[in-house]
Amino acid sequence: MTATIGYLGPKGTFTKLAVDKTFNGEAKHSFSTIPACIDAVNKDEIDIGVVPLENAIEGTVQLTVDYLVHQVRLPIMAEIVVPIQQHLLVHPNFKGELSDIKEIHSHSHAIAQCHQYIHQYLPNATIHFTSSTGKAAELISKRDEPVAAIGNQLAANIYHLNTLQNNIHDFPNNHTRFIVLSKQKEMVKIKHPIQSEKTTLLITLPSDFAGALHQVLSAFAWRKMNLSKIESRPMKTGLGNYFFIIDVNQPYDDVLFPGVKGELEALGCQVTVLGTYPVYQLDKL
């Protein structure tokens, strides 16, 4: 049975690139927003959803985390780490200089990843935010004007844009983590070797008390469980109320994780496993 895969679109986004590089000939559908893609998986309209979770430069994609925690709980089945290369794209009829660019269009994360470049070379250009880098490329393809998009080479190819400047991101080691969401583990078939395995936990505290985070981390520390990420997010129930997202660099087992869960629940915490899954790393695009 062939899976149907949804991704943050339109064509030309880094999410689409991640999907193309890691899956085979499955049917693929684009969605204009992250919540729309997640909702489609939840409603069984598609089998798999792929959405961005974190960028090495800009940090967590908060919309993804908050929607999974507060709106739709879907298990994380895999993680795909993709190198990000941002280019300055223009309409094929543009013949001017870099200084002629009056507007820059892209997703807010892409803009932030290229902040120093824009500050140095395009300080007078007006910034316009779009729902994705692919959408920005699509808009620029319809405007024969001195405007530009920030996006990837896939977007340039799809929308027949010229690359005015390559690799304009501020830091070379720029990667984005994408998560694969699905209700059916057997539907997720990725054509790359597994690099590592990870478990993501959602931990809520009974109240804000002194030493709370220390007690939570101690449950992992004395068991020698390596954590790769700890992040707090507001519960949206009032100021000072937070939950923690913790990534543990090992798969869920029947000894250590139940021990952590029991210890934290004894403190009054709630522990939810958001996923235990393989990690796939793409070395190049």
Side-chain angles (χ1 to χ4, degrees):
M1 183 178 178
T2 302
T4 55
I5 302 174
Y7 62 91
L8 177 63
K11 296 177 181 179
T13 62
F14 282 98
T15 316
K16 177 61 162 58
L17 196 153
V19 168
D20 287 345
K21 292 290 185 179
T22 51
F23 291 91
N24 290 309
E26 297 86 351
K28 298 163 186 174
H29 303 277
S30 69
F31 293 87
S32 59
T33 66
I34 290 171
C37 184
I38 295 174
D39 284 342
V41 179
N42 189 51
K43 296 175 181 177
D44 298 318
E45 297 171 355
I46 57 176
D47 300 308
I48 298 169
V50 181
V51 292
L53 179 66
E54 181 184 15
N55 177 261
I57 296 175
E58 279 306 292
T60 299
V61 180
Q62 296 176 358
L63 177 58
T64 299
V65 172
D66 287 349
Y67 205 77
L68 284 176
V69 170
H70 297 294
Q71 303 298 328
V72 176
R73 291 284 178 88
L74 288 171
I76 302 172
M77 293 295 181
E79 175 182 305
I80 306 166
V81 182
V82 177
I84 302 298
Q85 296 172 321
Q86 301 284 14
H87 311 309
L88 192 67
L89 311 177
V90 294
H91 192 279
N93 292 338
F94 177 76
K95 305 301 180 184
E97 301 294 332
L98 182 63
S99 58
D100 296 326
I101 299 295
K102 304 299 182 186
E103 298 176 11
I104 302 172
H105 296 252
S106 199
H107 188 274
S108 58
H109 272 220
I111 296 291
Q113 291 164 26
C114 306
H115 174 74
Q116 289 300 322
Y117 178 89
I118 295 171
H119 175 70
Q120 183 174 355
Y121 297 104
L122 295 164
N124 298 318
T126 304
I127 304 297
H128 296 270
F129 297 112
T130 57
S131 59
S132 67
T133 54
K135 186 64 177 178
E138 182 183 19
L139 290 172
I140 296 305
S141 70
K142 300 173 182 177
R143 294 184 60 185
D144 185 5
E145 303 172 56
V147 296
I150 294 176
N152 58 45
Q153 191 58 49
L154 176 63
N157 295 341
I158 289 173
Y159 296 106
H160 307 291
L161 300 177
N162 289 343
T163 302
L164 189 62
Q165 185 74 54
N166 285 300
N167 299 323
I168 66 170
H169 41 280
D170 296 331
F171 298 94
N173 190 25
N174 188 15
H175 290 76
T176 292
R177 297 169 59 200
F178 296 88
I179 51 173
V180 178
L181 305 171
S182 181
K183 296 179 181 179
Q184 306 173 70
K185 186 175 183 178
E186 66 275 7
M187 299 296 288
V188 180
K189 299 176 181 178
I190 294 178
K191 59 183 182 182
H192 285 270
I194 296 172
Q195 184 189 48
S196 60
E197 294 188 74
K198 184 181 294 184
T199 300
T200 297
L201 303 176
L202 164 65
I203 299 175
T204 58
L205 306 179
S207 61
D208 186 16
F209 58 90
L213 179 58
H214 173 74
Q215 287 185 304
V216 169
L217 297 182
S218 293
F220 297 95
W222 76 263
R223 291 178 172 87
K224 301 187 184 304
M225 300 171 74
N226 187 41
L227 310 183
S228 57
K229 183 178 181 181
I230 307 165
E231 181 173 5
S232 63
R233 293 288 300 145
M235 286 292 297
K236 304 186 186 297
T237 57
L239 289 174
N241 298 328
Y242 295 90
F243 63 84
F244 292 96
I245 298 290
I246 294 181
D247 287 344
V248 188
N249 285 345
Q250 62 190 76
Y252 194 91
D253 63 15
D254 295 328
V255 178
L256 294 176
F257 281 94
V260 168
K261 189 172 185 290
E263 186 173 331
L264 295 182
E265 287 176 345
L267 297 172
C269 300
Q270 292 182 336
V271 182
T272 304
V273 179
L274 296 182
T276 183
Y277 49 90
V279 177
Y280 301 88
Q281 173 90 43
L282 301 186
D283 295 327
K284 59 181 180 179
L285 302 180

